[in-house]
Amino acid sequence: MFLVPEGQKAPPEEITDAASVAFRVYLAFFTEEFARISGEHRDLVLLRNNLVHQFLKQEDLRTVEGCLTAQRTLTQALKRISFAYDGLRGWVLEKEHARQAFMDQLALPDLQNFLVHCRIPWHLATITTALNEASVALAKGDWTPVDAAANWIAERHPEEQPGGYGCRTWRQVIHEAGQFDL
């Protein structure tokens, strides 16, 4: 998981196996928030380095007062670290929740049929929804002319074209979808 400023993407991961699929998850923050979080984490690294390398030199552990001061210093550091840990843990839990939701979607029969057998789930396809909208908007009696529906879709959903679904014509889309009376 990466933290990035808004508008920037995480660097791409190199894929070594041609038969693999990779997904990258990253959290994008507004520039100011990203700077704040980055600064907090830099400060935590400095705190860690100070505790590991300088703590014993800075604290007088030979006296009771020195030990009490050291204890307060460590308690403050622990509170700061715990707060940062809770924030990071929340992000990880959200990422895990999103991953599980994605895996649940991958397990759906429609998606399995699409991924494994290249069968388009026509009842979920945007082009089918557009055809339904066109049939409602243009219906003459119970029927809508295919050419009129194609023109209506071209005006409102120009990205929806038969070729995007492996079809050559609108009539083929209607036939393949199996969602319409002919």
Side-chain angles (χ1 to χ4, degrees), residues 5-174:
E6 184 181 44
Q8 178 180 324
K9 293 185 178 181
E13 187 172 309
E14 187 174 317
I15 298 175
T16 57
D17 183 0
S20 67
V21 175
F23 293 93
R24 170 89 42 174
V25 176
Y26 57 93
L27 297 173
F29 291 92
F30 292 119
T31 304
E32 298 81 22
E33 183 69 2
F34 179 79
R36 184 190 64 75
I37 292 167
S38 296
E40 285 177 2
H41 289 175
R42 273 192 302 278
D43 290 347
L44 285 167
V45 170
L46 293 174
L47 174 63
R48 177 253 178 225
N49 290 343
N50 189 49
L51 289 172
V52 169
H53 300 292
Q54 303 298 322
F55 182 76
L56 293 176
K57 294 175 189 173
Q58 294 173 345
E59 302 296 334
D60 178 14
L61 299 179
R62 292 174 284 181
T63 67
V64 172
E65 186 57 38
C67 286
L68 291 173
T69 300
Q71 182 181 20
R72 283 191 296 275
T73 300
L74 290 173
T75 300
Q76 288 173 345
L78 179 61
K79 285 180 185 177
R80 195 167 164 200
I81 292 166
S82 294
F83 181 77
Y85 173 80
D86 289 343
L88 290 172
R89 186 172 183 273
W91 292 338
V92 169
L93 289 174
E94 287 178 27
K95 178 186 134 310
E96 180 56 28
H97 177 72
R99 186 196 67 78
Q100 186 58 53
F102 182 72
M103 295 305 291
D104 291 346
Q105 292 298 311
L106 283 178
L108 292 174
D110 286 330
L111 191 53
Q112 288 289 314
N113 273 333
F114 178 69
L115 294 174
V116 176
H117 305 291
C118 298
R119 293 185 187 134
I120 296 172
W122 290 104
H123 63 285
L124 299 174
T126 306
I127 200 166
T128 306
T129 302
L131 279 165
N132 279 320
E133 291 171 4
S135 70
V136 169
L138 303 173
K140 294 179 182 171
D142 289 335
W143 298 96
T144 302
V146 175
D147 292 337
N151 291 334
W152 188 91
I153 293 169
E155 290 175 13
R156 289 163 183 79
H157 305 281
E159 68 284 353
E160 292 302 317
Q161 296 294 317
Y165 296 85
C167 297
R168 286 178 288 184
T169 65
W170 282 100
R171 292 186 196 294
Q172 186 181 1
V173 170
I174 291 167

